[in-house]
Amino acid sequence: ADTLVVLDEAHLVPPFEKLLEAIAKAESDLQPKGMEERSIVPKMKLLSLSATGRSDQPAFELDEDDLKLGTITYKRLTADKRLTFNLLKNEEGLANALARNAWNLCSSGTVTTKIIVFSNKREVALKAKQALEKLAKGDKKAGIAEVKISTQLLVGGRRVHEREITAKWLKDHAFVAGSKNPLTQPAFVFATSAGEVGIDLDADHMVGDLVAWERMVQRFGRVNRRGEGDAKIIIIQEPSPKPTKGEENALKK
């Protein structure tokens, strides 16, 4: 009663958004039964916030002045981002594939650049970070020297102190959009959905797994955000899982 529910980044939790919509509807079982009572009790209202959601609510739009050549908006909307899909090799594993492609984007550590690596699961992000750090250590037997790099894990469930340390690292390594801090070595951020929303990230290149379109758009916005570079985006696509026997029987029917 008399409540405004604001659901931020609603595209991350579509089922929860639908639940709130069902509760807020006039015909909901939680509303007063009689029309007279409904006019007395103030309604609950839902406001979903998302840059990429599929809500029916009115959205802010750009006008002709925003799209004129030379404007900041035009520069951002026309930023170069080259997209490549690579099919995951079953024997490699997703974490190793993410690390390998990120390592290739910086030419095995020889190019000083900023790369963000997105994964849907926290454990994959951690394993990918460990795999890339292993690549950077080199191989003495093979004559591959160690390369100095900087890495950071950006996931949810952090305490305030840890978040502040992460925020400082992102700024120091020029991952915060507009930062002019010079890089001295390749830098990598391994992020889950925590890096997709609520932070003005700007990487040179990106590697990631495949997630829902609303989230992919958010990820793409974290690369070449100011339209001042030429971003390469590599998406690792996992093979479709084989159907179970029950699914196969259902498909046959």
Side-chain angles (χ1 to χ4, degrees):
D2 197 18
T3 302
L4 172 63
V5 177
V6 182
L7 180 61
D8 196 14
E9 307 298 357
H11 65 277
L12 293 178
V13 284
F16 185 55
E17 182 183 25
K18 292 298 180 184
L19 173 63
L20 292 175
E21 288 175 354
I23 295 172
K25 283 182 179 179
E27 61 271 19
S28 169
D29 291 339
L30 298 179
Q31 302 291 342
K33 301 300 181 184
M35 295 304 297
E36 183 178 347
E37 287 83 358
R38 292 188 183 188
S39 65
I40 296 173
V41 180
K43 296 180 180 179
M44 165 191 163
K45 294 185 178 181
L46 171 64
L47 179 62
S48 295
L49 303 179
S50 174
T52 54
R54 297 183 182 182
S55 173
D56 295 331
Q57 298 180 22
F60 292 104
E61 296 182 353
L62 302 174
D63 56 31
E64 292 183 1
D65 290 336
D66 294 318
L67 303 176
K68 286 182 180 179
L69 182 68
T71 62
I72 294 176
T73 308
Y74 177 85
K75 192 174 181 180
R76 293 192 183 190
L77 290 176
T78 58
D80 291 329
K81 303 180 186 187
R82 306 172 189 275
L83 180 61
T84 303
F85 284 90
N86 289 341
L87 190 63
L88 176 65
K89 301 174 183 178
N90 288 326
E91 65 276 9
E92 184 175 27
L94 178 58
N96 289 330
L98 293 171
R100 176 176 57 82
N101 280 275
W103 193 237
N104 290 339
L105 282 175
C106 71
S107 300
S108 300
T110 59
V111 177
T112 302
T113 187
K114 302 173 296 181
I115 299 174
I116 188 164
V117 182
F118 280 109
S119 54
N120 189 43
K121 296 181 179 179
R122 178 176 181 149
E123 56 268 27
V124 174
L126 179 58
K127 289 180 180 178
K129 177 177 178 290
Q130 294 170 342
L132 186 130
E133 289 171 345
K134 184 177 180 180
L135 288 172
K137 288 182 178 179
D139 188 341
K140 291 183 179 180
K141 293 182 178 179
I144 302 174
E146 181 178 358
V147 178
K148 296 294 183 181
I149 63 171
S150 296
T151 61
Q152 182 62 250
L153 191 65
L154 181 57
V155 296
R158 294 293 187 92
R159 293 172 294 185
V160 174
H161 178 64
E162 293 169 331
R163 290 201 301 268
E164 289 177 349
I165 292 175
T166 301
K168 184 179 184 304
W169 186 96
L170 292 171
K171 187 175 182 179
D172 291 344
H173 292 80
F175 272 96
V176 176
S179 175
K180 301 300 182 181
N181 291 340
L183 278 179
T184 58
Q185 56 194 20
F188 303 83
V189 170
F190 294 83
T192 56
S193 59
E196 299 171 11
V197 297
I199 185 169
D200 196 11
L201 285 179
D202 190 9
D204 297 323
H205 307 292
M206 173 194 140
V207 182
D209 53 3
L210 190 62
V211 293
W213 167 244
E214 292 87 352
R215 294 180 57 191
M216 293 303 296
V217 174
Q218 295 276 7
R219 290 180 177 186
F220 294 162
R222 268 64 189 175
V223 187
N224 193 17
R225 195 169 175 85
R226 293 296 192 266
E228 299 171 348
D230 186 0
K232 295 178 181 178
I233 300 175
I234 300 176
I235 301 301
I236 309 299
Q237 185 175 354
E238 298 183 75
S240 300
K242 294 181 179 180
T244 63
K245 289 184 179 180
E247 291 171 339
E248 287 180 349
N249 292 334
L251 290 170
K252 289 178 182 178
K253 291 180 179 180

